[in-house]
């Protein structure tokens, strides 16, 4: 079978690449093997049965509504005929998918035994990665400005077509200080405010900015965002300027909390930009195709970074490499909640390396990965339910339920654990994608085996350093919240000096 040439560059479109392989509600995507074919076939048959039952019920009702009660027998007949046809169609597609899966199984077994290529879920083909070529291709994408620009343009067009905002281009306000701080006009939209805030906050995050006043600048930006992102507070500020009420009222929403807790750029080479961070940092949403492309690029960048990180180990400089990784891990653990992130990254590294280390190890690792995902989903559901309960209780007051819930220590813990579990799930998913590229790179089998061994060792180093850091520190969400009054006091003094 002739393999397609690697695609170092790929244009983002809003068209689902699998649509051409679909037949109505039944998937006609190429199954990887007999198991995938059986699964796809069973789903098609089930869809056909459910759609058939729905037709038998719906068509007589619609016919009776349009033509009267006398037409019910005719409607029943039409429903039975249509429902039977749809059900048989689903069964036919199901059988076809199963047969295709059986036919593709020999190739799947051969490729899995060779271990050089991986099954790509998007293109439905066996492909071999070339990280050197992908590394060069990533240079053209830069910081993914093409996707961000596309999403931004779409958001602006949607905003323009929506109801006009109460603000106008010639809007006059009592004080422009906060707007100037974010570098936005007085008529800025909510989207503009959010994007400007995260752009500024990312630059002065305490884990990125080494200056002694980084925390104060970060806190100052947070309060500015809290005022301008709240319609009532913004209206008060626009009409009266700075007042004692909005000067003292420092609310911490979930987006600010997530950025403060998990906003360290030091981890980007290892896990990319976190999904929750992307969601909070952008004032617009991505299409499904754009989201897939961002995830694809993110996986490539992580794989390229890991290949570079493991090169000294693969070249035989084991002791020096271990010492270097120990120092790297200790630095990462110093970031805000870096110990928690480092621990999860280490676990994910080891799990994915074992997934590519022989049939038995791979099977055990796959089972453990699925079990971990189920536990994460369970914790997310549990913490999410608890958070919603606190927010519902907070609705009894006059404040925003999310912000009111943040004022309670138990609800803060729930929000933090919810964000953490979502982050853990995101980390495991992206490292799964990156590891597949790393271990199916166009390199000798000896290099591949060294990468597997090295990633297991690296994961162990991360786990050990993170465990020691967790034992020696008591960093928690309460310590972040407890420091805010001191930071606010310093911020107020800084503002007075700045405005004098």
């Amino acid at each position: 079978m002739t393999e397609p040439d690697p695609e170092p560059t790929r244009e983002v479109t809003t068209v689902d690449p699998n649509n051409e392989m679909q037949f109505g509600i039944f998937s006609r995507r190429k199954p990887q093997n007999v198991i995938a074919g059986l699964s796809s076939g069973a789903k098609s048959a089930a869809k056909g049965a459910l759609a058939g039952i729905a037709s038998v019920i719906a068509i007589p009702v619609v016919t009776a509504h349009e033509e009267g009660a006398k037409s019910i027998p005719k409607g029943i007949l039409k429903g039975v005929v249509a429902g039977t046809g749809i059900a048989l169609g689903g069964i036919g597609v199901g059988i076809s998918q199963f047969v295709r899966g059986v036919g593709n199984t020999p190739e799947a077994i051969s490729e899995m035994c060779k271990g050089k290529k991986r099954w790509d879920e998007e293109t439905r083909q066996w492909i071999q990665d070339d990280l050197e070529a992908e590394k060069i291709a990533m240079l053209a994408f830069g910081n993914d400005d093409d996707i961000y620009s596309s999403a931004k343009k779409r958001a602006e067009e949607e905003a323009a077509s929506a109801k006009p905002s109460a603000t106008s281009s010639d809007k006059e306000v009592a004080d422009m200080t906060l707007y100037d701080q974010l570098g936005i006009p007085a008529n800025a939209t909510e989207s503009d405010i959010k994007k400007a805030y995260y752009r500024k906050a990312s630059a002065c995050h305490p884990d990125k900015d080494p200056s002694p006043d980084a925390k104060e600048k970060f806190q100052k930006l947070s309060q500015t965002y809290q005022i301008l992102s709240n319609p009532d507070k913004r209206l008060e500020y626009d009409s009266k300027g700075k007042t004692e009420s909005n000067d003292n009222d420092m609310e911490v929403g979930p987006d600010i909390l997530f950025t403060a807790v998990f906003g360290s750029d030091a981890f980007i080479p290892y896990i990319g930009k976190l999904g929750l961070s992307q969601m909070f940092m952008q004032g617009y949403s991505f299409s499904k195709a754009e989201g897939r492309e961002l995830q694809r690029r993110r996986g490539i960048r992580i794989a390229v970074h890991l290949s570079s990180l493991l090169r000294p180990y693969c070249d035989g400089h084991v002791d020096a490499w271990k010492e270097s990784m120990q120092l790297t891990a200790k630095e990462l653990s110093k970031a805000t909640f870096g110990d928690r992130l480092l621990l999860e990254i280490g676990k994910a590294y080891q799990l994915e390396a074992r997934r590519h280390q022989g049939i038995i190890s791979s099977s055990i690792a796959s089972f453990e990965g699925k079990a971990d995902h189920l536990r994460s989903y369970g914790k997310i559901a549990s913490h999410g339910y608890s958070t919603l309960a606190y927010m519902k209780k907070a609705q009894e007051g006059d404040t925003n339920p999310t912000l009111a819930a943040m004022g309670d220590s138990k609800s803060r813990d729930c929000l933090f654990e919810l964000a953490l579990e979502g982050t853990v799930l995101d980390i495991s998913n992206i490292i799964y994608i990156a590891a597949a590229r790393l271990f199916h790179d166009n390199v000798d089998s000896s290099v591949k085996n060294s990468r597997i061994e090295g990633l297991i060792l690296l994961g162990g180093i991360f786990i050990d350093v993170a465990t020691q850091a967790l034992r020696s520190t008591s960093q928690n969400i309460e310590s972040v919240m407890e420091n805010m009054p001191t930071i606010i006091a310093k911020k107020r003094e800084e503002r007075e000096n700045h405005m004098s």
Side-chain angles (χ1 to χ4, degrees):
M1 177 178 176
T2 303
E3 292 297 329
D5 293 332
E7 298 181 26
T9 60
R10 188 178 304 183
E11 182 178 354
V12 181
T13 65
T14 57
V15 179
D16 188 337
N18 295 316
N19 277 351
E20 63 182 9
M21 294 182 283
Q22 294 175 349
F23 177 74
I25 62 172
F26 308 121
S27 174
R28 293 284 297 164
R29 301 198 306 165
K30 178 182 177 181
Q32 178 184 3
N33 49 37
V34 62
I35 297 176
L38 179 62
S39 175
S40 177
K43 290 177 182 177
S44 294
K47 288 179 182 178
L50 292 174
I53 294 172
S55 297
V56 171
I57 297 173
I59 292 179
V61 174
V62 173
T63 303
H65 178 73
E66 294 178 349
E67 302 179 16
K70 294 182 179 180
S71 63
I72 290 179
K74 182 176 72 172
I76 293 175
L77 179 61
K78 290 170 63 177
V80 170
V81 172
T84 301
I86 294 174
L88 290 176
I91 293 174
V93 172
I95 294 174
S96 173
Q97 287 295 91
F98 175 71
V99 172
R100 293 176 70 196
V102 172
N104 293 335
T105 299
E107 180 188 16
I109 294 175
S110 175
E111 295 297 349
M112 291 177 68
C113 290
K114 293 177 182 177
K116 293 183 176 295
K117 298 180 181 180
R118 64 179 176 84
W119 178 255
D120 186 76
E121 291 292 341
E122 184 176 342
T123 62
R124 315 299 292 183
Q125 295 180 11
W126 291 95
I127 62 174
Q128 184 171 33
D129 293 289
D130 188 339
L131 291 183
E132 285 300 319
E134 295 283 14
K135 179 180 179 180
I136 296 173
M138 286 297 103
L139 297 176
F141 294 126
N143 294 321
D144 302 321
D145 291 336
D146 56 329
I147 296 180
Y148 292 129
S149 297
S150 176
K152 179 181 178 182
K153 181 179 179 181
R154 185 173 58 253
E156 290 175 346
E157 291 174 348
E158 292 174 354
S161 62
K163 184 178 179 180
S165 172
T167 60
S168 62
S169 58
D170 58 349
K171 175 180 176 180
E172 295 184 1
V173 296
D175 186 1
M176 281 291 296
T177 302
L178 299 188
Y179 291 104
D180 291 339
Q181 184 181 347
L182 293 181
I184 54 177
N187 66 321
T189 64
E190 291 184 15
S191 174
D192 294 333
I193 293 171
K194 177 176 290 189
K195 286 182 287 185
Y197 163 70
Y198 283 108
R199 184 169 59 250
K200 297 274 188 179
S202 176
C204 69
H205 192 282
D207 291 334
K208 186 176 181 180
D209 185 354
S211 62
D213 61 343
K215 288 186 177 180
E216 295 179 32
K217 291 190 293 185
F218 185 77
Q219 194 67 36
K220 182 177 181 180
L221 282 169
S222 297
Q223 187 187 30
T224 295
Y225 176 69
Q226 287 299 322
I227 293 173
L228 296 184
S229 63
N230 184 306
D232 294 333
K233 293 183 181 297
R234 183 182 181 184
L235 183 62
E236 180 184 10
Y237 173 74
D238 288 347
S239 60
K240 302 178 182 178
K242 292 297 294 181
T243 63
E244 189 67 21
S245 61
N246 59 40
D247 190 51
N248 291 326
D249 191 6
M250 179 58 192
E251 295 172 331
V252 182
D255 49 353
I256 304 297
L257 180 67
F258 183 86
T259 304
V261 173
F262 301 114
S264 176
D265 286 348
F267 283 96
I268 288 180
Y270 300 88
I271 54 177
K273 293 181 180 179
L274 292 170
L276 280 174
S277 178
Q278 290 274 22
M279 180 182 71
F280 284 136
M281 289 179 66
Q282 302 303 325
Y284 39 78
S285 59
F286 300 108
S287 68
K288 188 176 293 185
E290 289 167 343
R292 282 199 302 265
E293 179 64 8
L294 281 173
Q295 195 77 336
R296 185 186 76 88
R297 296 180 188 180
R298 181 185 173 195
I300 292 173
R301 291 184 178 113
I302 296 172
V304 169
H305 176 72
L306 286 175
S307 69
S308 176
L309 205 65
L310 295 169
R311 185 171 293 118
Y313 176 86
C314 296
D315 291 341
H317 309 296
V318 179
D319 293 337
W321 176 82
K322 285 183 178 180
E323 184 178 349
S324 175
M325 291 302 98
Q326 286 276 358
L327 294 175
T328 298
K330 289 179 181 178
E331 285 300 315
L332 290 172
S333 68
K334 295 177 182 178
T336 308
F337 287 97
D339 43 13
R340 298 288 294 268
L341 289 177
L342 196 64
L343 179 64
E344 298 304 330
I345 293 171
K347 291 179 180 178
Y349 280 177
Q350 289 197 334
L351 180 67
E352 295 309 322
R354 288 169 45 222
R355 200 190 293 270
H356 294 82
Q357 194 182 41
I359 296 177
I360 297 177
S361 178
S362 175
S363 300
I364 296 174
S366 296
F367 176 79
E368 290 178 0
K370 292 178 181 178
D372 288 342
H373 273 211
L374 287 175
R375 279 194 292 269
S376 292
Y377 283 124
K379 290 180 180 179
I380 288 173
S382 174
H383 294 308
Y385 176 81
S386 299
T387 301
L388 288 175
Y390 282 115
M391 291 174 65
K392 184 177 180 180
K393 183 178 180 180
Q395 284 181 326
E396 298 174 1
D398 296 329
T399 58
N400 179 287
T402 304
L403 297 176
M406 289 298 299
D408 181 85
S409 60
K410 292 183 179 180
S411 59
R412 282 200 301 268
D413 289 341
C414 287
L415 279 171
F416 170 71
E417 293 298 333
L418 181 62
L420 177 63
E421 288 304 325
T423 300
V424 169
L425 200 58
D426 186 26
I427 289 174
S428 65
N429 286 337
I430 195 59
I431 292 180
Y432 171 85
I433 294 172
R437 292 183 177 276
L438 177 68
F439 298 133
H440 291 94
D441 189 17
N442 187 19
V443 294
D444 294 337
S445 58
S446 59
V447 176
K448 173 186 174 181
N449 292 333
S450 294
R451 285 179 176 178
I452 292 174
E453 295 171 359
L455 194 62
I456 290 176
L457 284 175
L458 181 59
I461 291 173
F462 280 13
I463 291 172
D464 291 342
V465 171
T467 302
Q468 293 175 8
L470 286 167
R471 289 173 180 170
S472 61
T473 61
S474 58
Q475 193 179 51
N476 53 46
I477 195 62
E478 291 304 317
S479 64
V480 175
M481 302 300 294
E482 288 171 1
N483 286 332
M484 288 193 175
T486 302
I487 296 174
I488 291 174
K490 291 181 179 180
K491 171 196 63 59
R492 186 179 297 114
E493 180 181 356
E494 179 184 290
R495 182 188 300 114
E496 290 174 353
N497 294 335
H498 175 75
M499 296 179 66
S500 61

